[in-house]
Amino acid sequence: MPEHTPAPTPGRAIYGFVLFLLLKTLFFLYVLWAYVPTSWFEMLGLTFLPDKYFALFVPMVALVALTLFAFVIYPSLALSMMPDVDDRETVADNNTIVRCEYRFPDDQSCHQRVEDPFESGWYAKRYCSKHSSRHLETQRTVRVANFCDCPYEGQCLLRKEPEYLPTLRSKDPIPAVKDLSLSQVSRVLYRRLR
């Protein structure tokens, strides 16, 4: 059985050419019917043709249907397939990295990645395997060095160079994400050249 492909084939070329000729012929007959007076068709014995009113009515209905589909039906279908605004899929997916919510006694948070956080809900798994409920019950939590939040183990810099983390602490940290005021953005974008 041949593979389905959009590439041109001899059969498609023949069907395409026949369809092209058919549409050109139908358009020519439509224009002829719309502009030639009805009395000329009656002289030829063609009395079963539809009224000339349909020469304008059918294209108008087609354009209204196309407009309705393009601006109402198609966007409505797209909106109906989107998740709700308050659904977790609007802000997270299977590639989202979720950090462990455990806090150490010295009030530092754990950076271990929580595996499979989306199995049974938004807050289904709050702790990673190192800090699961059995560790919390015994209060015997062991701090594991060089946690990696990268989705791919091979790209994790902390696993490749364990001494990289102390060098980061000595440098200036990256500032936290914040919203910029509109006046500040305008000053930078539209400042006058001096």
Side-chain angles (χ1 to χ4, degrees), residues 102-129:
Y102 177 74
R103 285 200 158 298
F104 291 110
D106 55 357
D107 206 31
Q108 288 187 353
S109 59
C110 169
H111 295 296
Q112 175 71 16
R113 184 179 172 197
V114 176
E115 299 295 329
D116 299 325
F118 303 113
E119 285 179 350
S120 59
W122 185 246
Y123 290 112
K125 264 181 141 178
R126 298 179 60 181
Y127 301 109
C128 64
S129 58

Side-chain angles (χ1 to χ4, degrees), residues 139-165:
Q139 294 297 325
R140 205 170 56 95
T141 305
V142 179
R143 193 186 288 252
V144 181
N146 299 330
F147 283 132
C148 183
D149 293 324
C150 301
Y152 307 106
E153 289 287 325
Q155 297 176 359
C156 180
L157 186 61
L158 293 179
R159 293 198 194 281
K160 288 180 184 176
E161 299 178 26
E163 299 302 319
Y164 182 70
L165 194 59

Side-chain angles (χ1 to χ4, degrees), residues 10 20 29 38-39 55-56 60 64 78 84 93 98 103 109 124 140 146 164 176 188:
F20 170 77
L29 291 175
T38 311
S39 58
L56 291 177
M60 261 193 219
V64 167
D84 291 335
D93 61 3
V98 179
R103 285 200 158 298
S109 59
R140 205 170 56 95
N146 299 330
Y164 182 70
V188 172

Side-chain angles (χ1 to χ4, degrees), residues 30 52-62:
Y30 167 76
K52 299 282 185 171
Y53 167 77
F54 290 105
L56 291 177
F57 177 72
V58 170
M60 261 193 219
V61 168

Side-chain angles (χ1 to χ4, degrees), residues 36-110:
V36 173
T38 311
S39 58
W40 289 17
F41 288 121
E42 289 174 355
M43 284 191 308
L44 294 173
L46 299 172
T47 58
F48 55 87
L49 294 174
D51 193 22
K52 299 282 185 171
Y53 167 77
F54 290 105
L56 291 177
F57 177 72
V58 170
M60 261 193 219
V61 168
L63 287 175
V64 167
L66 180 67
T67 304
L68 183 69
F69 179 78
F71 292 106
V72 176
I73 296 172
Y74 191 71
S76 300
L77 287 173
L79 285 173
S80 69
M81 290 188 291
M82 286 182 59
D84 291 335
V85 175
D86 58 349
D87 194 357
R88 70 176 171 84
E89 291 179 358
T90 58
V91 294
D93 61 3
N94 290 334
N95 297 318
T96 303
I97 298 171
V98 179
R99 294 180 187 265
C100 178
E101 291 185 19
Y102 177 74
R103 285 200 158 298
F104 291 110
D106 55 357
D107 206 31
Q108 288 187 353
S109 59
C110 169

